[in-house]
Amino acid sequence: MERGARRIEAQREVVLRTPRLTLTSWVVDDVGALHEVHSDPETMEFVRHGRPESRPEVEQLVDRYIAEHAARGWTKWRLADLDDRLVGRAGFGGTSDSRGLSYLIRRSRWGRGLATEIAEALVGWHLLHTVAVPLRAIVAVGNDASARVLEKIGFDEDGKEDFDGTMCRAFVHPDTA
Ligand SMILES: CC(C)(COP(=O)(O)OP(=O)(O)OC[C@H]1O[C@@H](n2cnc3c(N)ncnc32)[C@H](O)[C@@H]1OP(=O)(O)O)[C@@H](O)C(=O)NCCC(=O)NCCS
């Protein structure tokens, strides 16, 4: 590993590890890699604004993730493979009294069980670190792959709700409800 890469690695805090993935905090230098993922239309169809994002939008997002992690200890963290290549992001949105599970995987890595692997590990993180706060997830109607991930790790479907004008399926994890 080059010296610059080692320096960046040292700035990241490891949140959790799974057999194939490492979840860490972000550094400003991650903007380019996350923009590669967030500029893909298929990846963004059901998340955020439902469209590919510009580099300035991703810069703002990484700034927000860094600030949230520093201020409250949870955010949507950086997801990397064991060679430290960015695979996506995963973590939590929401508020102090309701947490929302979130995951997004780079399109070239879909269909290998990676979302399921990190989502299941995050349920464990939530149960360990977040006492008495329900863990929910909302999935835009039509995003059947994401709903399948939640079903596989034991979430129950809990009606429908509007999120920023998008009709979504709501889920809750029974161990946290
Ligand atoms: C949704 C997403 C996270 C899934 O990631 P992934 O790593 O491919 O997911 P996994 O491989 O762990 O599991 C996907 C499951 O959905 C199934 N699936 C895939 N496409 C599907 C579809 N169109 N309809 C129904 N099921 C589908 C897979 O077969 C698999 O289920 P199985 O293990 O029973 O076969 C990924 O497509 C993604 O990042 N999409 C863009 C961002 C996003 O939508 N995030 C979720 C916001 S709520």
Side-chain angles (χ1 to χ4, degrees):
M1 196 189 288
E2 289 170 26
R3 195 186 302 167
R6 262 202 210 102
R7 177 183 54 75
I8 289 170
E9 185 66 8
Q11 291 168 11
R12 293 200 180 101
E13 190 181 324
V14 175
V15 177
L16 60 81
R17 294 182 201 277
T18 69
R20 293 182 290 173
L21 298 164
T22 305
L23 195 64
T24 70
S25 59
W26 298 89
V27 297
V28 172
D29 289 22
D30 293 326
V31 166
L34 186 62
H35 181 234
E36 277 175 23
V37 177
H38 273 226
S39 55
D40 173 55
E42 206 178 330
T43 304
M44 302 308 287
E45 180 181 1
F46 295 114
V47 293
R48 288 179 47 80
H49 313 292
R51 57 160 174 78
E53 294 192 320
S54 66
R55 190 170 169 115
E57 284 175 310
V58 175
E59 279 168 9
Q60 275 187 10
L61 198 58
V62 169
D63 284 349
R64 194 176 94 202
Y65 293 156
I66 291 171
E68 286 177 350
H69 179 77
R72 63 189 192 187
W74 54 275
T75 186
K76 295 168 186 173
W77 291 291
R78 173 183 182 269
L79 188 62
D81 64 17
L82 300 185
D83 295 320
D84 201 36
R85 289 175 302 212
L86 187 93
V87 168
R89 56 176 174 78
F92 307 100
T95 61
S96 52
D97 50 6
S98 176
R99 211 56 54 84
L101 181 65
S102 168
Y103 40 78
L104 179 149
I105 304 291
R106 185 190 281 271
R107 187 153 57 95
S108 60
R109 309 285 188 102
W110 288 4
R112 301 177 193 186
L114 294 177
T116 304
E117 184 169 315
I118 195 60
E120 193 165 35
L122 282 166
V123 171
W125 191 95
H126 179 86
L127 290 169
L128 200 61
H129 295 276
T130 319
V131 179
V133 177
L135 182 57
R136 300 180 63 79
I138 58 163
V139 175
V141 169
N143 192 355
D144 296 334
S146 180
R148 176 75 191 125
V149 168
L150 295 171
E151 284 162 9
K152 283 197 287 182
I153 61 169
F155 274 73
D156 291 333
E157 194 152 0
D158 186 30
K160 292 214 168 37
E161 60 187 69
D162 180 277
F163 182 76
D164 276 354
T166 300
M167 190 47 68
C168 295
R169 295 163 68 184
F171 293 81
V172 62
H173 196 284
D175 297 344
T176 68

